[in-house]
Amino acid sequence: MTTHLVSPNTVLANALHHAEDVLTPRIQATPPERIVLVVGTQINGAPHIGTSLVQSMAFAMAARLRDRFGIPAEVLFSALDNAPYELTTDPKTGHRYQRAYAQALGAQALTGLVDTLYQPLFTALSLHVGIPHRIETYSQQQAGARFRRTWLRLQPRLDAARWWLAPSTGTPHLRIPCPQPNCGWAEKHAERTRVQLIDREAARVEAVCLDHGSYQVTITPTGDTYLDLATLYRNMVKELSLANPRGTLHVMVKGGDWVFGSHLVDEALQAVGLTHGQLPSRLFCPQVVTDTGAKLSKSLIREGRLPLPAGAADWMLDTRLWPGTVTEYAEQLLAMTDTLLSDPRHFFRSYSASEIGRMMTAPDSRSIPAP
């Protein structure tokens, strides 16, 4: 039975013929030599349908941009291994501490995690649409000289952006894990972390460990001290480091829940001197929601704080449970993606988990043309 998709009109959809038209102004203003669609995911367990949807959208959009503008395109997957693995509270001070996946598991285990949970789907999507991809962990990203030098050069201007990055406290969270062997604890909210710029190429950071007390580290472009930044702060540094593209247009591909947070990042970037034309290009993908309109949250459901939405299946919370092969899963994702991209009305909106489930299991799903 064919599933017909009908979507209401919106201001944005009414201004477009195709979803990718939102990127046309940037491409026309400065025609790039290549386009890189950047999609990031916290690797804190098995991916769920929302993650897979955004990832498949990145590949499908890359193919559409390549075909329409004749510009080579690729997908860059940022595996965020700085997601919290352990959380605890210091009983003496009440300060919260965390150990991230990178410190708790180590590089070899993280590589295995990414290879197991994400690489098979990326390989299948890449082969299906003919778009190459790369995988980069946050550990690798923060270790790069460009990222670290961007962070260092941001420090003298950070005061202008700090309230955008942390509107409640004015303290953007910088977490430097304790360097003692087999430790890695970092103060989660960075209340007692202090940064002193030594020169353009170095900064001294003072912090407090849960087990080892006060410590100091030095951040340089080529050093090995782990530089962990909270979400908005991290995105600002990443996007600032990509603001001078040199022939490459980077497009940040995000779920629809990022619309609100990206406003703060843009204000922070402008506060430190970027012009409107230098702000990053972004593509916000459809969001998967529950029947209450809230984002589908695998953590809340697994913790028993919310029930599995009516009409949703277990594989939507853990895509490894999909009743078929990875190749079949990729093909169904791309078939659904084609439907969502067939009309801007379908792309710039949210979908209930049950609706996504119907489209994923109905191969003849198609849209009704807009009047």
Side-chain angles (χ1 to χ4, degrees), residues 12 232 254-266 282-287 348-350:
L12 178 57
L232 297 180
K254 298 178 177 293
D257 56 314
W258 255 99
V259 170
F260 310 108
S262 291
H263 167 71
L264 294 175
V265 176
D266 283 347
R282 296 196 182 96
L283 185 71
F284 298 106
C285 298
Q287 187 175 355
F348 296 104
R349 53 161 289 189
S350 298

Side-chain angles (χ1 to χ4, degrees), residues 214-276:
S214 300
Y215 58 95
Q216 290 186 358
V217 296
T218 301
I219 306 294
T220 65
T222 57
D224 59 0
T225 299
Y226 196 88
L227 184 62
D228 185 9
L229 308 176
T231 304
L232 297 180
Y233 196 2
R234 179 187 70 241
N235 275 263
M236 180 190 185
V237 174
K238 176 185 73 175
E239 294 173 1
L240 188 59
S241 70
L242 301 176
N244 184 18
R246 296 182 180 178
T248 301
L249 172 63
H250 291 87
V251 179
M252 307 301 152
V253 183
K254 298 178 177 293
D257 56 314
W258 255 99
V259 170
F260 310 108
S262 291
H263 167 71
L264 294 175
V265 176
D266 283 347
E267 293 288 354
L269 288 169
Q270 292 180 90
V272 300
L274 264 67
T275 64
H276 182 75

Side-chain angles (χ1 to χ4, degrees), residues 12 33 52 61 63 85 89 103 106 140 154 178 250 268 312-313 366 371:
L12 178 57
E33 297 174 5
S52 294
M61 183 58 72
Y85 183 84
T89 301
Q103 283 71 51
Q140 294 169 327
L154 174 64
C178 176
H250 291 87
R366 62 182 178 87

Side-chain angles (χ1 to χ4, degrees), residues 69-121:
F69 295 101
I71 300 173
E74 66 177 85
V75 171
L76 172 60
F77 175 49
S78 294
L80 302 176
D81 55 11
N82 63 331
Y85 183 84
E86 297 177 90
L87 292 169
T88 191
T89 301
D90 184 349
K92 296 180 181 179
T93 65
H95 289 282
R96 294 281 285 167
Y97 282 85
Q98 74 172 51
R99 291 180 75 210
Y101 273 72
Q103 283 71 51
L105 300 185
Q108 185 174 356
L110 284 169
T111 298
L113 187 67
V114 173
D115 288 346
T116 299
L117 296 180
Y118 296 96
Q119 183 65 76
L121 178 60

Side-chain angles (χ1 to χ4, degrees), residues 43 48 51 59 76 122 157 207 214 272 304 322-323 348 350 371:
I43 53 172
H48 74 324
T51 299
F59 279 93
L76 172 60
F122 270 68
R157 306 181 189 179
S214 300
V272 300
W322 169 262
F348 296 104
S350 298

Side-chain angles (χ1 to χ4, degrees), residues 49 315 322 329 332-333 336 355-362:
I49 184 59
W315 62 264
W322 169 262
Y329 181 59
Q332 287 298 98
L333 279 170
M336 179 175 65
E355 182 71 2
I356 290 291
R358 281 195 294 271
M359 287 191 287
M360 280 290 290
T361 55

Side-chain angles (χ1 to χ4, degrees), residues 2-7 19 57 60 64 286 332-347 349 351 355 359-360 362-368:
T2 301
T3 301
H4 296 283
L5 181 59
V6 182
S7 299
M57 284 288 182
R64 291 170 76 94
Q332 287 298 98
L333 279 170
L334 290 171
M336 179 175 65
T337 298
D338 284 344
T339 299
L340 302 188
L341 286 169
S342 66
D343 190 314
R345 299 184 184 199
H346 301 332
F347 188 81
R349 53 161 289 189
Y351 289 88
E355 182 71 2
M359 287 191 287
M360 280 290 290
D364 294 328
S365 177
R366 62 182 178 87
S367 66
I368 294 179

